[in-house]
Amino acid sequence: MTVDIIPTKKLPRSLSILSYKIPQNLAKRVKIGQLAAIPLRNSITTGVIIDIKKTKKTAYPLKNIINLVNPKSIFTINQLKLFIQLAEYYHVSASLFVHFKIGRAHV
């Protein structure tokens, strides 16, 4: 299984949504809207899960999410859709909206 994640770090528009694999030990606990710890370049950051896919094969190798930060979802599906729509409208990364909505408490 794979997930699409919006990182909480402010990133360029081209890196707005990233894909990761779900390790077996986390597969049953993953939910849309949860905050997950993810590897990003040479560091570890957090990101919000926006989509869960059952696909096993991908065109390129994916990294695994490291852990789930919260057991419950912190955003609803409608909030996540709004972040993506605002990002498209203003031509910015959706991570900008996630970053400001979460604040420093969860990052």
Side-chain angles (χ1 to χ4, degrees):
M1 287 181 21
T2 62
V3 289
D4 287 339
I5 293 182
I6 299 174
T8 56
K9 273 188 172 181
K10 290 187 263 180
L11 295 172
R13 186 173 177 211
S14 62
L15 298 175
S16 188
I17 298 173
L18 304 173
S19 296
Y20 288 88
K21 286 193 304 189
I22 303 172
Q24 284 294 103
N25 62 330
L26 299 176
K28 292 184 179 179
R29 300 184 315 181
V30 171
K31 298 178 212 158
I32 292 176
Q34 274 182 312
L35 201 59
I38 55 171
L40 184 64
R41 295 187 181 149
N42 295 331
S43 65
I44 295 173
T45 189
T46 55
V48 178
I49 298 170
I50 63 165
D51 193 18
I52 301 170
K53 299 175 184 172
K54 303 260 185 223
T55 58
K56 293 187 179 190
K57 289 186 178 181
T58 58
Y60 45 88
L62 299 176
K63 293 182 180 181
N64 286 334
I65 60 172
I66 296 169
N67 203 354
L68 298 172
V69 176
N70 291 352
K72 295 183 180 181
S73 298
I74 60 171
F75 292 116
T76 65
I77 293 171
N78 288 334
Q79 287 174 312
L80 295 170
K81 286 179 183 177
L82 177 64
F83 295 155
I84 293 168
Q85 288 173 347
L86 288 171
E88 289 173 3
Y89 182 80
Y90 288 107
H91 300 284
V92 295
S93 173
S95 63
L96 180 71
F97 298 100
V98 170
H99 175 80
F100 285 120
K101 181 68 176 164
I102 289 179
R104 286 260 187 238
H106 291 86
V107 179

